[in-house]
Amino acid sequence: MVGSGPDLPDLGYVSGKVTKAGKPMVDAMVQFIPVDNDKASVATSYTDAEGNYTLKYMEGVEGAVLGKNRVEVSLLERGREQVPPRTPYGMGSNMIETVKEGSQTIDIKIP
């Protein structure tokens, strides 16, 4: 467990790479939204120049809530969303990833 304490749920350390059509997505926002815990916070990250991300549960705390998380990716370029809503990994998507204890790599491949 990455972070457990009186105010934190059990967390798993999550990192990975985001690609679209095989190319790294730079400066994309990645969110893991807990499915079974409506009191938990959303884990968020922004991708780097190679498309890599590491989720943060909150400032100074890396990780995401254990269990099922809905995954969304967003990237605005020239005022247009590059991952349209309700598509795989777009806002409102139904793409689910399961976060487990310990460290894991979850790569996100957008067609």
Side-chain angles (χ1 to χ4, degrees):
M1 279 176 282
V2 171
S4 63
D7 299 321
L8 292 176
D10 290 334
L11 304 174
Y13 180 85
V14 180
S15 61
K17 185 171 188 165
V18 180
T19 57
K20 182 176 181 186
K23 296 181 181 180
M25 289 189 74
V26 179
D27 296 327
M29 180 175 67
V30 179
Q31 293 185 306
F32 275 52
I33 304 161
V35 171
D36 299 325
N37 186 343
D38 59 357
K39 293 182 173 126
S41 295
V42 174
T44 305
S45 182
Y46 286 88
T47 58
D48 65 15
E50 285 83 40
N52 298 311
Y53 73 94
T54 299
L55 291 175
K56 286 187 179 178
Y57 183 73
M58 60 189 298
E59 189 62 38
V61 179
E62 291 184 345
V65 174
L66 298 182
K68 293 179 181 178
N69 285 262
R70 189 165 50 85
V71 181
E72 294 182 353
V73 177
S74 177
L75 176 63
L76 287 176
E77 286 183 350
R78 297 181 191 97
R80 294 189 58 187
E81 177 59 57
Q82 300 303 302
V83 186
R86 303 202 193 317
T87 61
Y89 298 109
M91 296 297 178
S93 84
N94 60 358
M95 300 303 285
I96 303 292
E97 293 286 353
T98 300
V99 176
K100 301 174 181 141
E101 285 188 35
S103 296
Q104 59 237 268
T105 300
I106 299 177
D107 292 330
I108 299 170
K109 297 177 182 176
I110 299 169

